[in-house]
């Protein structure tokens, strides 16, 4: 999967989650702490999908199992993103009060220096 295809996949999940007002709040927090993938700046939505996908895809040792480009096939990445979207939507975005202070701390900690 190329970087461009990967970014499109992240944007696709962002678009699916954008119907939730909670997702929009999370993206506003992320926009204060922008990231790049290699040399390409990420949109707040891409940044949120990438961060939470990697966090939600953890094994027993705490390592992310989310396949990045070059680590898995396009199909593996798309399936993992789809699974993440479903899990994140049902467990976080629906009927959950967000702790925006903790989310802000997360993005501050992960922001490049």
């Amino acid at each position: 999967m190329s970087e461009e295809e990967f970014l499109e996949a992240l944007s696709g999940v962002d678009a699916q989650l954008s119907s939730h007002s909670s997702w929009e709040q999370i993206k506003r927090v992320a926009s204060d702490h922008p990231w790049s993938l290699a040399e390409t700046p990420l949109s707040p939505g891409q940044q949120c999908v990438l961060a939470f996908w990697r966090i939600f895809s953890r094994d027993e040792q705490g390592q992310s199992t989310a396949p990045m480009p070059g680590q898995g096939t396009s199909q593996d990445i798309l399936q993992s993103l789809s699974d993440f979207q479903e899990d994140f939507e049902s467990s976080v975005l629906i009927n959950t009060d967000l702790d925006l202070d903790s989310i802000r701390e997360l993005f501050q900690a992960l922001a490049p220096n």
Side-chain angles (χ1 to χ4, degrees):
M1 174 176 271
S2 70
E3 182 178 314
E4 184 177 320
E5 292 169 324
F6 182 65
L7 294 174
E8 287 176 18
L10 296 177
S11 293
V13 174
D14 172 35
Q16 293 296 314
L17 296 175
S18 287
S19 64
H20 299 279
S21 61
S22 298
W23 184 247
E24 295 304 317
Q25 291 175 332
I26 294 169
K27 287 176 19 176
R28 280 194 293 278
V29 170
S31 69
D32 292 336
H33 308 282
W35 299 353
S36 295
L37 183 64
E39 299 296 318
T40 305
L42 297 175
S43 72
Q46 291 168 330
Q47 179 178 325
C48 290
V49 170
L50 181 59
F52 287 106
W53 174 49
R54 303 274 303 161
I55 290 168
F56 268 62
S57 302
R58 301 268 176 194
D59 61 19
E60 293 81 30
Q61 291 78 36
Q63 299 298 311
S64 181
T65 60
M68 297 292 287
Q71 297 175 337
T73 67
S74 295
Q75 184 175 354
D76 292 339
I77 292 169
L78 294 173
Q79 183 61 55
S80 182
L81 281 168
S82 176
D83 293 344
F84 155 75
Q85 176 188 334
E86 184 178 315
D87 292 345
F88 190 78
E89 194 166 25
S90 65
S91 65
V92 176
L93 296 179
I94 297 175
N95 298 322
T96 301
D97 292 329
L98 293 178
D99 180 353
L100 291 177
D101 289 334
S102 293
I103 293 170
R104 189 171 292 105
E105 288 175 15
L106 169 75
F107 281 109
Q108 286 172 341
L110 296 175
N113 294 330

